[in-house]
Amino acid sequence: MKHEYEAIIGGDDILDDTGGQKERKSWTRIDKLLLIFCALCDFADGTEIDLPGMITQQVSCDIELSSWKEGLLKCSLYIALVISTFFAVALSIRFGRRKLIIISLYLSAISTIACAIVADFNTLLLSRILLGFCLGLRHTLLYVWVAEMVSSQEILAKILMVQSIVYYAGEMWSSVLGFLLLEQIGWRMFFLCASLPMIIPPIIMLHCCFTEEVGPQIEYSDEKEIVTVPNFVGRTTKLGLLFACITFNGWLTTLLVPALIKMFNIKEAGSNSNCSVTMTRGPELLLLGLVNFAAIPSTLLTHCIKGKIGFRKLQGVIAMICIGNFALMLTQESLEVAILTNFIAKFVYGITALNICYVLYDVNYFGTKDFALGSSTACSLGMIGGMAGSAMVSFAPTSSVIFTALVLSAVQIMVLFSMPEVQEGEMEKLQEEEMEKGAQTLK
């Protein structure tokens, strides 16, 4: 099959003996540019995503917020992020992927500056909401854009792996930076120093390297080449539900670790202690960085075993591990147990998140006709789980949050049994059928 966007990236079609197209294995110029750009964006996103868990306790102590307002401030970014994912693809079709990503980056810079200089709760909340909205747009469009523009599925898998690692590195970096600077320069200046320098490089690269709108959507030179898959709605819904369970368990560590540290600090210092004594600070932030680091080696491991273990088998084993891990976390015996169990939760999240991304951004799973719609919808449904986890940590008792994560781990197993579409070899079969159709068209 010959896509119009293949002409844009400058690659020639390589045909096999039957006339079907084979995937390129060499990196094109656009592949390399996409890799660098995605790495810059994901590092910035990882840094910004982790900041609410780090600084909200200090903000609350500084401007004397109630527990309800503190919780709202914690989860507002994640709620706005999820809502924006539902509009991302529709807006990008209207305005173009590149233009919308540029807008989100500029608005992120403005929101970051506003978060650093505001003096009241309402303005800070609005800034957080705007920042979350921009993050959601960019995060959704970036993956769809890459999946459409990359020259082969093999290279896409490598880019997804690098994106995930750099994202977790951004989370870890913000924790380390918090340990080094947060108490020295205060949360306002820290927010500015941690976020703004990360946003500028992607803006520069978009203006210098992607000077034109490239591939706003997948287009085809012949309507006969458009491929649909059976049970599209069911595929999208089930994948989105599975992703929601995974993101609930993975995202909650960002806010759960500081909350657990604060809980143990209160137990030690007394319930009437000043907030400046009980909040997460100093070396304790390194514990959050340690938990975030756990996803990096597991992501590398997942890429190395790709194709060697079936999707449902791997996800099922991880779900059972999560059930035992969250059961142990429920005991809340000590801070050491809390950090260990959150480390394990983040480690297995690194495996499941990348494993599901291989399906989430595979054009063969959703079909070429509705790929952008299916991928973005499943992603949006999945992020609802992350939003729910963040909201529960912000307002509900930690034991309730952990128990919910345990239940959702069991739900994952039931969802996996209902997903024969991702059984091993099924997507490869679809791809072979598409290649045969492409060969017949060329003949």
Side-chain angles (χ1 to χ4, degrees):
M1 294 183 294
K2 187 174 178 61
H3 299 162
E4 287 185 9
Y5 67 80
E6 288 175 337
I8 296 176
I9 63 177
D12 295 325
D13 289 335
I14 301 175
L15 302 179
D16 59 16
D17 295 334
T18 64
Q21 185 181 346
K22 298 174 69 175
E23 288 189 322
R24 302 183 204 85
K25 294 186 178 180
S26 59
W27 287 66
T28 64
R29 177 177 176 272
I30 197 70
D31 289 335
K32 296 173 184 177
L33 289 175
L34 284 171
L35 175 65
I36 297 171
F37 178 70
C38 289
L40 292 173
C41 284
D42 277 289
F43 192 85
D45 291 352
T47 302
E48 292 180 342
I49 285 287
D50 210 46
L51 287 178
M54 292 177 52
I55 68 171
T56 303
Q57 291 181 22
Q58 285 212 2
V59 174
S60 177
C61 190
D62 184 26
I63 61 180
E64 299 180 350
L65 297 179
S66 64
S67 59
W68 185 86
K69 286 186 175 181
E70 180 181 342
L72 187 59
L73 203 58
K74 282 181 181 178
C75 66
S76 58
L77 181 142
Y78 304 104
I79 294 174
L81 186 154
V82 171
I83 293 174
S84 66
T85 61
F86 286 96
F87 305 101
V89 171
L91 289 173
S92 68
I93 291 174
R94 173 66 177 82
F95 299 104
R97 309 274 199 257
R98 174 184 173 274
K99 186 179 295 184
L100 206 57
I101 291 174
I102 288 178
I103 293 172
S104 72
L105 285 167
Y106 276 115
L107 288 178
S108 291
I110 295 171
S111 302
T112 299
I113 295 172
C115 284
I117 62 176
V118 293
D120 63 278
F121 167 77
N122 291 330
T123 312
L124 184 59
L125 180 63
L126 289 174
S127 300
R128 284 279 185 92
I129 291 173
L130 179 58
L131 183 58
F133 192 85
C134 295
L135 281 171
L137 286 178
R138 186 164 67 248
H139 195 71
T140 303
L141 293 178
L142 198 60
Y143 282 88
V144 173
W145 197 37
V146 171
E148 290 175 346
M149 293 305 304
V150 74
S151 62
S152 74
Q153 287 292 107
E154 180 183 347
I155 292 176
L156 174 61
K158 293 177 181 177
I159 292 178
L160 289 174
M161 183 264 294
V162 172
Q163 282 185 270
S164 299
I165 289 176
V166 172
Y167 176 84
Y168 301 132
E171 288 188 313
M172 187 176 66
W173 167 245
S174 64
S175 302
V176 173
L177 203 62
F179 164 69
L180 296 173
L181 298 177
L182 186 54
E183 291 190 33
Q184 281 69 32
I185 63 177
W187 65 267
R188 297 176 189 274
M189 187 58 64
F190 172 75
F191 195 92
L192 195 64
C193 294
S195 296
L196 196 58
M198 303 297 107
I199 299 173
I200 295 174
I203 294 176
I204 295 174
M205 190 171 179
L206 261 183
H207 284 294
C208 295
C209 302
F210 298 95
T211 55
E212 297 179 0
E213 186 66 54
V214 182
Q217 54 184 326
I218 297 180
E219 297 179 25
Y220 303 91
S221 56
D222 191 336
E223 288 186 1
K224 294 181 181 179
E225 297 174 3
I226 297 177
V227 179
T228 58
V229 294
N231 194 24
F232 171 77
V233 175
R235 286 169 177 250
T236 304
T237 303
K238 286 182 284 187
L239 189 63
L241 180 58
L242 179 64
F243 195 28
C245 296
I246 291 171
T247 53
F248 183 97
N249 295 351
W251 282 26
L252 63 82
T253 57
T254 301
L255 297 179
L256 185 59
V257 173
L260 288 172
I261 292 174
K262 183 179 179 180
M263 182 187 73
F264 284 108
N265 287 344
I266 292 174
K267 285 183 179 179
E268 183 178 342
S271 57
N272 295 324
S273 301
N274 189 277
C275 61
S276 61
V277 176
T278 59
M279 67 182 179
T280 306
R281 58 193 300 175
E284 293 170 336
L285 293 174
L286 291 180
L287 297 176
L288 179 59
L290 176 65
V291 170
N292 290 329
F293 168 77
I296 295 179
S298 63
T299 300
L300 285 170
L301 174 64
T302 306
H303 183 73
C304 292
I305 64 175
K306 182 179 183 291
K308 298 179 181 179
I309 303 177
F311 174 84
R312 294 197 297 173
K313 184 183 295 184
L314 179 59
Q315 295 290 136
V317 171
I318 294 300
M320 288 187 285
I321 293 174
C322 287
I323 292 173
N325 184 58
F326 286 117
L328 177 60
M329 193 186 296
L330 266 175
T331 62
Q332 298 183 0
E333 291 182 356
S334 63
L335 179 60
E336 290 76 16
V337 172
I339 297 302
L340 174 62
T341 50
N342 274 275
F343 183 91
I344 295 172
K346 195 73 173 184
F347 183 88
V348 297
Y349 174 69
I351 297 175
T352 54
L354 183 59
N355 198 35
I356 201 170
C357 275
Y358 288 143
V359 181
L360 194 62
Y361 301 105
D362 187 348
V363 70
N364 297 312
Y365 180 79
F366 293 105
T368 51
K369 179 181 179 181
D370 299 309
F371 166 70
L373 175 63
S375 178
S376 61
T377 302
C379 181
S380 300
L381 292 173
M383 287 188 178
I384 291 176
M387 177 190 70
S390 303
M392 282 195 70
V393 176
S394 301
F395 296 106
T398 55
S399 57
S400 301
V401 179
I402 298 169
F403 180 76
T404 304
L406 189 154
V407 172
L408 289 178
S409 298
V411 171
Q412 286 185 50
I413 299 176
M414 292 185 286
V415 176
L416 286 168
F417 277 116
S418 70
M419 296 181 69
E421 300 90 352
V422 290
Q423 62 186 358
E424 191 172 2
E426 197 270 349
M427 282 182 280
E428 288 78 3
K429 182 180 177 181
L430 279 175
Q431 189 175 12
E432 289 175 2
E433 291 176 357
E434 291 179 42
M435 290 175 64
E436 290 177 3
K437 291 179 182 178
Q440 294 175 0
T441 303
L442 289 172
K443 289 178 181 180

